[in-house]
Amino acid sequence: MSDPIKCDFDGAPNPRWRYSARDFESMGVLASQGGWYACDECAALIERGEREALAVRVVDALIVEHPSMAAKRDWCLATATMVQGDFFKNRTGPVRADRAGEGPIHA
């Protein structure tokens, strides 16, 4: 059985939005293949262009899930900002409503 679909930004369950994107590398490794799912909160930040707030949200969620990462918060924030910058460069269209888990998200 496959894992439930989660927001590709902060890991929230049951994301309702998806963004088509080209495959891309970040920091010399394959970072993304195809589209990205987004929860309501992350999609709202993306649509408003609030990139810094999005990166902070992602890192906050990471630290809740993995408290030991709090000591590396600055590194996590820089990494999230870089990977998300690559996401924004490789987006291929507008956000689309999606029922998580149904159909492919690849562009």
Side-chain angles (χ1 to χ4, degrees):
M1 185 173 184
S2 64
D3 291 331
I5 302 298
K6 294 183 179 181
C7 175
D8 286 310
F9 295 91
D10 69 1
N14 304 313
R16 297 190 317 134
W17 306 100
R18 67 181 181 172
Y19 292 88
S20 295
R22 292 180 292 275
D23 295 355
F24 64 86
E25 290 185 0
S26 190
M27 300 186 296
V29 297
L30 182 64
S32 177
Q33 289 184 285
W36 291 45
Y37 279 112
C39 64
D40 289 347
E41 292 80 5
C42 289
L45 293 170
I46 293 164
E47 292 304 303
R48 290 193 307 259
E50 295 182 25
R51 294 183 184 198
E52 184 176 335
L54 179 64
V56 168
R57 179 179 179 80
V58 166
V59 171
D60 287 347
L62 174 72
I63 291 171
V64 167
E65 192 72 24
H66 304 280
S68 64
M69 296 304 289
K72 298 180 180 181
R73 182 178 180 77
D74 290 343
W75 179 85
C76 292
L77 192 55
T79 301
T81 299
M82 184 179 356
V83 173
Q84 289 172 14
D86 291 334
F87 159 77
F88 281 99
K89 285 188 256 183
N90 287 285
R91 246 177 90 177
T92 59
V95 66
R96 294 184 299 175
D98 188 79
R99 292 175 59 182
E102 294 183 8
I105 62 170
H106 296 278

